[in-house]
């Protein structure tokens, strides 16, 4: 048993992280990690660059994604896809649908903010979102953290947290939902792209109690869910213990990561999270083995499901 550590949940400038994929790989190496998954929101646009940088640095790399799925308020449901093929047509199609959904929503948020007296513009938000893409060759998923940054830079709020608490978070004065996939569509899409589907930060489902959480996870297992994220910056140790029990019961793969976003979530450090996320390397070994078992070990003619 070694004490090497991985981080299987991170964001880059291809979505709402502040580091480019190359800078993210450097941060992972500098942080002493031996493995990294890049899981940008709704896009695999940073994966090729990250893979190249990781290969050069000798860092184990998992191409991933984090997809938003429909869930009744106040729940947030995100599905992580691991070992997806960045060129998969199913993935590119899905990604475009979700990016269109954001592009419909974002102007509504900005119009509402303007109405409320916060004079920020779409151009300002786009400039912030593209800061990590000087060459302009990356698809950038524009999200609420970029809008929060624009509010901060325009002195409309004193912190990113305040931007979410007052305006952008669920129930905030300028909150609008965006188009999402159903959980079934999200899981199917991840499978079509050759990846394993893992429920991100299950506590964000905001289940009333453990029985409800278990029921929600089991509904996703019925749809083909492969695993659950056990260790995450939002999870307390007792959450992780309970999630481990469910994973064992249903033979689910378990993963963990910080949800690092660079300066957009300044309290989260890569590989460490908000202090309690340290995912040992064997979790990455087991994730990889589960993926190989699902997608590469079947005799010819056998369906992958
Ligand atoms: P979007 O996908 O554009 O709706 O934005 C999602 C991003 O906003 C994710 O990185 C979330 O973690 C972040 N986010 C959502 N709600 C909050 C909140 N209340 N405080 C801080 N970040 C949040
Ligand atoms: Zn994010
Ligand atoms: Fe998430
Ligand atoms: Fe995330």
């Amino acid at each position: 048993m070694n004490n090497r550590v991985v981080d299987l949940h991170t964001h880059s400038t291809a979505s709402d992280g502040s580091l480019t994929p190359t800078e993210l790989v450097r941060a992972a190496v500098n942080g002493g990690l031996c493995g990294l998954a890049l899981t940008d929101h709704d896009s695999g646009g940073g994966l090729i660059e990250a893979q190249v940088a990781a290969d050069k640095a000798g860092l184990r790399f998992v191409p991933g994604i984090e997809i938003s799925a429909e869930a009744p308020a106040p729940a947030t449901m995100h599905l992580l896809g691991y070992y997806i093929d960045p060129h998969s047509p199913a993935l590119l199609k899905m990604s475009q649908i979700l990016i269109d959904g954001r592009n419909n929503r974002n102007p509504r948020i900005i119009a509402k903010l303007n109405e409320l007296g916060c004079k920020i513009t779409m151009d300002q938000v786009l400039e912030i979102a593209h800061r990590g893409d000087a060459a302009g060759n990356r698809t950038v998923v524009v999200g609420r953290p970029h809008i929060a940054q624009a509010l901060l830079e325009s002195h409309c709020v004193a912190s990113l947290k305040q931007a979410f608490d007052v305006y952008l978070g669920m129930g905030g004065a300028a909150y609008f939902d965006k188009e999402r996939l159903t959980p079934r569509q999200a899981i199917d899409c991840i499978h079509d792209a050759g990846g394993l589907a893992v429920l991100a930060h299950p506590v964000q489902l905001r289940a009333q109690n453990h029985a409800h959480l278990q029921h929600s996870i089991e509904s996703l297992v019925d749809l083909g869910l492969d695993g659950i994220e056990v260790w995450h910056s939002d999870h307390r140790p007792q959450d992780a213990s309970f999630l481990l029990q469910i994973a064992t019961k249903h033979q689910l793969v378990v993963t963990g990561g910080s949800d690092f976003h660079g300066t957009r979530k300044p309290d989260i450090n890569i590989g460490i999270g908000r202090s309690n996320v340290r995912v040992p390397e064997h979790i990455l070994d087991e994730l990889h083995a589960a993926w190989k078992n699902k997608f590469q070990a079947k005799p010819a003619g056998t369906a992958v499901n």
Side-chain angles (χ1 to χ4, degrees):
M1 191 81 155
N2 63 51
N3 54 9
R4 289 163 24 121
V5 171
V6 301
D7 192 333
L8 302 176
H9 189 155
T10 66
H11 295 266
S12 77
T13 48
S15 65
D16 54 8
S18 67
L19 300 185
T20 66
T22 303
E23 289 166 347
L24 183 70
V25 165
R26 201 174 304 136
V29 171
N30 290 342
L33 303 185
C34 71
L36 174 78
L38 174 58
T39 54
D40 274 310
H41 296 286
D42 303 341
S43 168
L47 295 176
I48 307 287
E49 179 184 329
Q51 180 79 64
V52 169
D55 288 349
K56 272 194 202 148
L59 181 74
R60 295 179 68 180
F61 182 69
V62 183
I65 195 164
E66 183 176 22
I67 297 178
S68 312
E70 283 172 9
T76 294
M77 188 188 291
H78 289 169
L79 288 150
L80 294 159
Y82 286 117
Y83 294 105
I84 53 159
D85 170 7
H87 302 294
S88 151
L91 189 74
L92 295 173
K93 186 170 161 217
M94 175 280 302
S95 195
Q96 197 52 55
I97 291 172
L98 294 172
I99 290 170
D100 290 347
R102 286 164 183 282
N103 291 343
N104 289 332
R105 176 202 64 173
N106 293 341
R108 298 173 71 197
I109 296 180
I110 289 166
K112 184 70 187 179
L113 286 169
N114 285 182
E115 220 180 282
L116 294 168
C118 306
K119 301 293 180 199
I120 62 163
T121 65
M122 195 57 181
D123 281 350
Q124 208 180 335
V125 173
L126 290 176
E127 185 273 320
I128 288 166
H130 286 85
R131 271 180 200 166
D133 183 32
N137 56 9
R138 191 182 298 132
T139 306
V140 173
V141 176
V142 182
R144 281 180 287 165
H146 301 120
I147 301 174
Q149 183 72 30
L151 286 170
L152 184 66
E153 291 180 14
S154 301
H155 309 288
C156 297
V157 292
S159 68
L160 297 171
K161 182 176 181 313
Q162 191 185 12
F164 274 94
D165 288 350
V166 178
Y167 297 113
L168 303 173
M170 211 178 271
Y175 177 80
F176 290 93
D177 206 356
K178 61 182 186 284
E179 193 181 336
R180 295 160 197 269
L181 301 185
T182 63
R184 181 189 294 277
Q185 286 172 323
I187 290 171
D188 286 353
C189 175
I190 290 167
H191 288 160
D192 288 346
L196 292 177
V198 172
L199 177 65
H201 40 64
V203 298
Q204 289 188 16
L205 292 177
R206 306 247 202 129
Q208 285 159 0
N209 53 43
H210 276 173
H212 278 117
L213 178 57
Q214 178 159 350
H215 177 75
S216 300
I217 292 173
E218 286 170 350
S219 305
L220 295 171
V221 171
D222 290 342
L223 298 178
L225 187 78
D226 301 293
I228 49 181
E229 187 173 53
V230 167
W231 301 278
H232 182 271
S233 292
D234 289 349
H235 290 187
R236 300 163 303 173
Q238 59 267 43
D239 297 320
S241 309
F242 181 68
L243 290 165
L244 262 180
Q245 281 174 35
I246 300 181
T248 305
K249 181 167 180 214
H250 294 284
Q251 295 179 302
L252 297 169
V253 70
V254 298
T255 71
S258 63
D259 216 344
F260 179 74
H261 282 69
T263 55
R264 304 237 195 279
K265 294 195 180 181
D267 54 336
I268 295 180
N269 294 306
I270 197 163
I272 298 169
R274 291 194 183 94
S275 85
N276 58 354
V277 181
R278 281 186 177 277
V279 181
E281 186 178 23
H282 72 87
I283 296 297
L284 172 51
D285 295 335
E286 286 154 24
L287 176 67
H288 189 243
W291 173 68
K292 277 189 25 187
N293 186 40
K294 184 169 179 119
F295 289 100
Q296 297 187 340
K298 305 288 177 196
T302 309
V304 288
N305 288 329

